[in-house]
Amino acid sequence: MSVPNIWATTLRITIIERGSAFTKKLMKEKKFSGYISHNVTNRPFKTIGEGEYRQSLGSKQLQRVHSDKKSLFDGDFCMGAGFERLSASKGGGYRIVIGLYTGNKVAKDNLIAKAQLGDPFTQDPEKVEVSGLMYRTGLCLFGKELGVDGIEKIDVETLLEDPKKK
């Protein structure tokens, strides 16, 4: 029996940028939908708020969370995550961001899309943690928002805390 996913009904995802690699055709490709689906249902992810995520503030760039296993998706996609500072004109503070990229590098030219996970906040980002479940829920909602084929079939409400315990 799975535990209800508390993030399923409370987490908001807001697309903040579509990059040059975004195409409607890509959203329909089986390999890309397989990549998103695999990461939502099979990867536990570590919590956001640790080392590589804090680095995103210093480098002003999302940090690569992982690139896919070449045996599954030929190294065609990767994800980045991190914190971004908001300008004073946008109210200041920080936001948690997920980015999807083609290839295996978090680079502007490879950007498919970026989304804000949850609402902006003002506390020190080094004290903010995002659970793997929240991250996976956000990725699933991100895929649904982008219109990725096949993602609508994933029931966000029944995602497990740690898919490795299935």
Side-chain angles (χ1 to χ4, degrees), residues 7 44-48 129-136 161:
W7 299 113
F45 294 111
K46 52 187 157 183
T47 57
I48 296 175
E129 286 191 9
V130 180
S131 71
L133 180 60
M134 182 178 178
Y135 185 53
R136 289 173 48 240
E161 182 68 42

Side-chain angles (χ1 to χ4, degrees), residues 1-165:
M1 185 172 134
S2 64
V3 176
N5 179 358
I6 61 163
W7 299 113
T9 55
T10 60
L11 186 64
R12 283 186 335 133
I13 191 98
T14 308
I15 295 176
I16 54 176
E17 184 180 354
R18 290 177 198 251
S20 58
F22 176 86
T23 65
K24 295 283 185 189
K25 183 179 179 238
L26 178 63
M27 299 306 112
K28 305 292 179 204
E29 284 183 11
K30 195 172 200 126
K31 189 182 273 190
F32 186 59
S33 67
Y35 170 77
I36 300 285
S37 177
H38 172 76
N39 286 295
V40 167
T41 57
N42 296 319
R43 288 187 62 91
F45 294 111
K46 52 187 157 183
T47 57
I48 296 175
E50 297 174 358
E52 63 193 0
Y53 301 100
R54 283 188 230 128
Q55 290 173 15
S56 63
L57 284 173
S59 67
K60 296 185 180 174
Q61 179 176 324
L62 299 183
Q63 301 299 301
R64 189 177 83 178
V65 177
H66 76 93
S67 69
D68 61 64
K69 293 179 183 174
K70 292 192 183 289
S71 61
L72 291 174
F73 305 101
D74 301 325
D76 286 346
F77 310 105
C78 71
M79 279 187 280
F83 299 107
E84 288 184 349
R85 280 190 177 92
L86 292 171
S87 65
S89 64
K90 292 183 179 178
Y94 305 92
R95 64 182 173 196
I96 300 166
V97 176
I98 299 172
L100 295 171
Y101 299 83
T102 57
N104 63 3
K105 290 187 179 166
V106 173
K108 188 168 178 68
D109 292 344
N110 298 349
L111 179 66
I112 298 168
K114 283 195 325 188
Q116 175 179 302
L117 187 62
D119 294 318
F121 56 92
T122 56
Q123 68 262 37
D124 180 355
E126 291 193 24
K127 293 185 169 61
V128 173
E129 286 191 9
V130 180
S131 71
L133 180 60
M134 182 178 178
Y135 185 53
R136 289 173 48 240
T137 302
L139 179 60
C140 186
L141 294 172
F142 189 13
K144 289 176 188 254
E145 190 73 23
L146 288 172
V148 177
D149 269 9
I151 303 305
E152 71 280 351
K153 296 175 187 167
I154 298 175
D155 183 1
V156 189
E157 294 182 10
T158 59
L159 288 177
L160 298 175
E161 182 68 42
D162 183 352
K164 299 291 185 198
K165 293 179 183 176

